[in-house]
Amino acid sequence: METIDMTLIGKYLRSIRLKKGLSQAKLEKISGVSASTISNIETGNQGAAYNISLQNIIKIAHALDTSFIQLLSKSGFLLAIGEESFKSDKSEIYITNHELINIFNRLGPSQQQHIVELINEQIKLSDQENQKKLLQK
């Protein structure tokens, strides 16, 4: 069996943390996960006494205002393990950015705001469903 590179998750978490201007100590206060554990996750330290905890990764992701499924997806982890079910969940609807912008711009400001709110709500629901599916496996 091929080993999985867990450093993908750590590197991605680190990049989000740095983009938000947070130190590991500040993230510790927000997430409740110790700075040393955050450091171990970010650097991929998997020494004999260290075990990556799914709970800690989820706490850190939420503290960084990202969902667990976004973390797995955007870090490249799902792609790296060849998660076919995740790939198959992608929409088959295709529209170019230009077409989408033109359609959106035809709406009034309040309609645009409503569409953005609907999309954000659907993303949240989808992320929650995907998290449940992953935790059930």
Side-chain angles (χ1 to χ4, degrees), residues 41-112:
I41 290 170
E42 288 182 354
T43 60
N45 182 0
Q46 297 182 28
Y50 181 70
N51 185 15
I52 293 178
S53 160
L54 184 60
Q55 256 184 327
N56 284 339
I57 291 173
I58 292 171
K59 286 179 184 178
I60 293 167
H62 286 192
L64 293 170
D65 199 30
T66 189
S67 70
F68 184 61
I69 194 70
Q70 283 176 321
L71 168 66
L72 294 179
S73 174
K74 291 184 178 182
S75 69
F77 183 81
L78 290 176
L79 190 59
I81 64 171
E83 180 54 60
E84 294 301 321
S85 64
F86 179 75
K87 291 177 191 172
S88 67
D89 284 346
K90 296 296 180 190
S91 173
E92 292 183 18
I93 297 172
Y94 179 77
I95 186 169
T96 66
N97 289 341
H98 182 71
E99 290 171 317
L100 185 59
I101 290 168
N102 283 338
I103 292 168
F104 188 77
N105 285 336
R106 290 174 59 192
L107 301 172
S110 65
Q111 292 170 316
Q112 289 176 346

Side-chain angles (χ1 to χ4, degrees), residues 1 5 16-17 24 30-31 40 52 61 63 66 72 76 81 83 85 89 94 101 107 117 120 123 132 134:
M1 184 170 157
D5 184 3
I16 296 173
R17 178 180 61 77
Q24 289 176 343
I30 298 169
S31 68
N40 284 333
I52 293 178
T66 189
L72 294 179
I81 64 171
E83 180 54 60
S85 64
D89 284 346
Y94 179 77
I101 290 168
L107 301 172
E117 289 168 1
N120 283 329
I123 290 169
K132 286 178 187 175
L134 283 172

Side-chain angles (χ1 to χ4, degrees), residues 108-134:
S110 65
Q111 292 170 316
Q112 289 176 346
Q113 182 61 38
H114 182 68
I115 294 295
V116 169
E117 289 168 1
L118 287 172
I119 291 170
N120 283 329
E121 185 61 31
Q122 287 301 309
I123 290 169
K124 284 180 187 177
L125 291 172
S126 177
D127 287 346
Q128 289 170 354
E129 286 179 28
N130 287 332
Q131 285 179 17
K132 286 178 187 175
K133 286 179 189 175
L134 283 172

